[in-house]
Amino acid sequence: MKSDLIVLLVGVLGAPSPALAEQTETSVEVVVQPDPPRIPGKPLGSPKPKIPLGISDQPPTLDGRLDEPLWLDAEPGPPPESLVNLPPPDPRWGLTAVATPGGLAIALRGVPLRSETRVSVDPNASRIGWAELDLSADPPTIRRCRARDLDAVPPFAAPARVYVRPCGAAVPAQASHGPDGWELLVPWSALDPSTDDLQIQWYTKTPEASATYDVGRAARTFAGAGRSVQIEGQRGRSESVGVSWDRARGVATWTVRAAGLKGPEDWDWQVHYNGQWIHAGRLTLEPNPSGAALATLETPNQPHTGTGILVAQSGGAPLVRGAWHLPWGLTERATVATPVHAGRVELRYTQQGVRERTLRFRGPDGALLLERAVELSSGKGSVLVAIPESWPDHLEVELEGLFPEGSVPVKRQEAP
């Protein structure tokens, strides 16, 4: 299949109404343009392994020495990875994490004091609130950050929201550097309710420059290779959340699944939209004889982008079982790259495998202006559509199965 597949759409399926006779084009150009293939030899981003998370009833001694039982009994996490695909300059570099009664204890093994190092902890992977530590500050600081939505009026006929990520004032962190690296404690009070989907990300930038690791004589940046944590001794358990939209009924159906249950469990759920909790409740997971459970709930439909759900086992423990779902992480979906267009609309898509999908454009009154099957390549790409001048300024575009919202509005750019 050619890399650029040009499909000339001649005619429109279905007879247009007399009112749309002058608006409907008999020939519309659509270009399906797959993204260029990966450059041979260029590394792809590999799945990031989970950080093994130990559980201890002993608090860490913050002295930068990692020879105490808390760390000796914990399984080290993976080493960091370079953003330019190079090994770390010090093979000792790595991260170890342990949940303690007072907070999440983290050891950055081998990371030098003279470096720019930051650590962030998302307690439930919902991307709503997190703690951010700056170990390069003197003294090291911690601050709480939280997504906050602001009303935004887009240049097309649909309300939307955007969100910014403000952080609170920085306060001294519980952290110490010693001969073995950094040792720090993130109090549970600095985090939202935490689940076993807790995520850790850390960055280290060193000031040295060398021909081996730093050809451009710019500071090297290494990212922690692990994000999600895996609680030791609980590998038989699993939880997940999925969602389906029923646009006709105006509802979203969330499905919670779990395996490895020993009995009924009460779980709390919260739906958030751009940083704000908008729906909340409680459900019960009733396991079958094999320990598997399934529960569903319906909520009023929200826009696809910016909506997520968090479910967590009810209880007062600082770290509980949980699951989360952010729909924008779907492996197959489409977005409109040009919500305001100047005669050409670009749809960005990603899908698995080659598949034929139906493309539709409708006017503001729902009248069908264009319907045609287009073959989309596997992976990522664009669909470019030349919009006739006779079409209305406000349109709705559909791409079968790839817009979870069903359709997305686009608007013609106003003349200056």
Side-chain angles (χ1 to χ4, degrees), residues 193-212:
S194 303
T195 74
D196 60 329
D197 272 321
L198 181 146
Q199 292 184 346
I200 303 172
Q201 184 67 57
W202 65 283
Y203 295 96
T204 294
K205 182 183 291 186
T206 59
E208 297 89 358
S210 69
T212 302

Side-chain angles (χ1 to χ4, degrees), residues 61-66 106 108 113 135 140 173-185:
T61 302
L62 299 180
D63 56 6
R65 306 185 69 92
L66 307 181
I106 298 176
L108 297 181
L113 176 65
L135 301 183
Q174 299 183 50
S176 176
H177 189 272
D180 298 327
W182 281 100
E183 193 174 15
L184 53 126
L185 182 71

Side-chain angles (χ1 to χ4, degrees), residues 22-299:
E22 295 182 357
Q23 299 175 344
T24 304
E25 292 292 309
T26 58
S27 179
V28 176
E29 183 183 59
V30 175
V31 178
V32 178
Q33 190 175 71
D35 285 359
R38 181 176 64 92
I39 300 174
K42 185 177 180 180
L44 286 174
S46 57
K48 295 184 182 299
K50 292 189 175 183
I51 299 172
L53 181 68
I55 298 179
S56 173
D57 58 1
Q58 297 296 321
T61 302
L62 299 180
D63 56 6
R65 306 185 69 92
L66 307 181
D67 54 359
E68 57 190 287
L70 175 72
W71 303 118
L72 296 177
D73 296 339
E75 181 181 352
E81 58 186 12
S82 169
L83 302 185
V84 291
N85 199 35
L86 292 172
D90 189 330
R92 298 180 303 160
W93 283 17
L95 181 147
T96 304
V98 178
T100 73
L104 179 68
I106 298 176
L108 297 181
R109 303 186 306 273
V111 176
L113 176 65
R114 196 168 62 93
S115 65
E116 181 182 344
T117 300
R118 288 183 171 83
V119 179
S120 66
V121 179
D122 186 335
N124 46 49
S126 67
R127 304 182 190 177
I128 295 300
W130 62 98
E132 182 177 280
L133 292 90
D134 184 357
L135 301 183
S136 57
D138 187 16
T141 62
I142 182 173
R143 56 182 183 169
R144 294 192 64 174
C145 304
R146 190 166 190 84
R148 182 182 63 191
D149 66 294
L150 299 174
D151 289 319
V153 180
F156 51 91
R161 285 176 179 250
V162 296
Y163 66 97
V164 295
R165 291 173 169 161
C167 296
V171 299
Q174 299 183 50
S176 176
H177 189 272
D180 298 327
W182 281 100
E183 193 174 15
L184 53 126
L185 182 71
V186 183
W188 298 119
S189 59
L191 301 170
D192 286 347
S194 303
T195 74
D196 60 329
D197 272 321
L198 181 146
Q199 292 184 346
I200 303 172
Q201 184 67 57
W202 65 283
Y203 295 96
T204 294
K205 182 183 291 186
T206 59
E208 297 89 358
S210 69
T212 302
Y213 294 105
D214 197 358
V215 177
R217 298 193 63 79
R220 304 187 302 271
T221 300
F222 290 85
R227 282 191 61 90
S228 299
V229 300
Q230 176 70 57
I231 298 179
E232 296 177 0
Q234 298 192 27
R235 291 179 173 83
R237 284 292 302 259
S238 65
E239 296 84 15
S240 64
V241 182
V243 63
S244 62
W245 284 267
D246 188 336
R247 201 170 186 222
R249 295 174 53 223
V251 298
T253 301
W254 304 89
T255 302
V256 183
R257 291 182 172 86
L261 277 68
K262 305 298 183 183
E265 295 181 355
D266 291 329
W267 282 55
D268 297 315
W269 59 268
Q270 294 176 312
V271 176
H272 59 85
Y273 178 44
N274 283 344
Q276 297 295 319
W277 299 119
I278 54 176
H279 305 294
R282 178 167 290 189
L283 56 84
T284 300
L285 293 178
E286 295 276 359
N288 61 20
S290 63
L294 181 149
T296 61
L297 59 100
E298 285 188 348
T299 63

